[in-house]
Amino acid sequence: MTIAILGGAGVRVPLLVGGLARARVPVERIALFDTDRSRLACIADLARRAAPGVRVDATATAEAAIDGAQFVIASLRVGGARQRARDEQIAIAHGIVGQETVGPAGFAMALRTIPAMIEYGRLIAARAPNAWLVNFTNPVSLVTQAVHQHSAAHVVGICDTPMELLEDTARALGLPARECRFDFFGLNHLGWLREVYTNGEPHLHRLWDDPARLAAVYRTPLFEPGELARVKLLPTEYVYYYYHPDRALDALRRSGTSRGAIVADLTDALFADLASGAVDPLARYEQYLAARDAGYMQLEAGRSTPRERPEWAVLSGYDRIAAMTIEAIAGDQRLVLPLDVANHGTLPFLADDDIIEVPCVVGSLGPHAVDVPAVPDHARELMIAVKAYERAAVAAAVSGRIEDQIEALALNPLVPSLDAASALVHALLHP
């Protein structure tokens, strides 16, 4: 099997390649393509070290990577980590939380990325029409929707956030995650877990009156146990930006920086050390990943304690969710995974071609969403508002008109007015 990775110079590519090399499918070749040729050479070397026994090629063109591939993974970052840091700081300066996938910074990232991803989708449909495009590119919901609507590629969006919540909740309940059925629904970075079942028996009721166990669900303490008990839903971590935007903004302002700026500094230091040749490349890379993971959601939560990935987490993780998705399609496993797919009536209050994030049965024909019971009012209303913004953002990315961009951003629930949207669009996209 050949797997192509577009955005092959990304810093998480060696982690991903290592995970694919350990997957329960025969991966003979992994082809990497990126427009940043110098970084691609460095990342390809790291990837080969992480996946001995698998052929890893750095290709000169996207076509050379895609041709012959059964799966194409896309993980682009147009403008790089420094552009993310700039976007986040602009959002904060305008009094709105700065985060790469949510709010104005996420909008700017989407507008830069969607045109490129649509072209890749069309290229894949033409040169590898039977291949699956597995999209990691953020914002996943927006980008996957754009590719689904504007190309013939077989596309599925993936994110490790839902699986992390599911696995951590099962752990807090003392249940084996592999044996649980999860009632989960939402959009990417806007999802909720409503129930956990084993043998048809529900279990979340055991958390609502147990604040300590409820708090243990989250690796970073973002939500008060009392607020979770009131709504009787467990939101994914990114819902924090919608539930508590002022709290997140205040914490970021007090920190004097942003997550994007910290990641950019870590990344620059990694490449400088690798270029010097004075370090063990894989050991330095693992140090980088640990430092990056330790700071996840730390600033926004106003926490000084670093975050740690627990040793028992075996289902969640960037590399694992990609491997499980590919294994399930290639091996017709009928595995149930939370993925980003076209709605097709699953959530009746959204359009059929809207991309949603729900548990899917994944086999040789791809992912198929499972039935989702009626969604609670407050979650449904927020999803409707965010999806209206996402539809408009995709249309604005395709049209390229500044008027469309302003109107789309004004629909974002975190943006207070049309005037604010106009100021942000000019600062972010037309300085």
Side-chain angles (χ1 to χ4, degrees), residues 197-217:
Y197 297 94
T198 56
N199 299 317
E201 178 185 354
H203 291 278
L204 277 192
H205 64 88
R206 296 195 278 123
L207 295 183
W208 306 134
D209 295 323
D210 190 339
R213 183 178 284 187
L214 188 52
V217 168

Side-chain angles (χ1 to χ4, degrees), residues 10 90 155 163 191 202 217 262 272 296 316 385 400:
I90 288 172
V155 61
M163 187 60 80
V217 168
I262 291 174
Y296 179 76
S316 56

Side-chain angles (χ1 to χ4, degrees), residues 61-69 72 120-131:
T61 65
E63 289 85 349
I66 292 167
D67 288 350
V72 180
Y120 282 135
R122 292 171 177 170
L123 187 64
I124 292 163
R127 302 189 73 101
N130 295 320

Side-chain angles (χ1 to χ4, degrees), residues 20 91 238 253 278 322 348-349 390 395 410:
L20 294 173
Y238 287 86
R253 280 176 163 167
F349 53 89
E390 290 186 349

Side-chain angles (χ1 to χ4, degrees), residues 87-119:
D87 290 344
E88 291 179 351
Q89 292 291 358
I90 288 172
I92 293 169
H94 283 76
I96 300 175
V97 64
Q99 206 283 326
E100 67 163 332
T101 65
V102 174
F107 175 79
M109 185 176 187
L111 268 285
R112 295 190 189 97
T113 305
I114 283 172
M117 279 299 301
I118 289 174
E119 289 306 308

Side-chain angles (χ1 to χ4, degrees), residues 239-292:
V239 179
Y240 173 71
Y241 297 110
Y242 295 98
Y243 280 10
H244 303 294
D246 292 340
R247 185 187 302 174
L249 176 63
D250 180 63
L252 286 168
R253 280 176 163 167
R254 284 188 283 107
S255 74
T257 186
S258 73
R259 167 74 171 158
I262 291 174
V263 169
D265 288 344
L266 288 172
T267 302
D268 287 348
L270 169 68
F271 280 103
D273 286 349
L274 293 175
S276 74
V279 295
D280 178 327
L282 272 184
R284 178 65 181 88
Y285 180 66
E286 290 169 0
Q287 181 189 50
Y288 165 83
L289 291 177
R292 178 171 175 149

Side-chain angles (χ1 to χ4, degrees), residues 9 111 191 213 230 312 337 357:
L111 268 285
R213 183 178 284 187
R230 283 192 298 276
W312 48 261
L337 297 171
E357 190 169 83

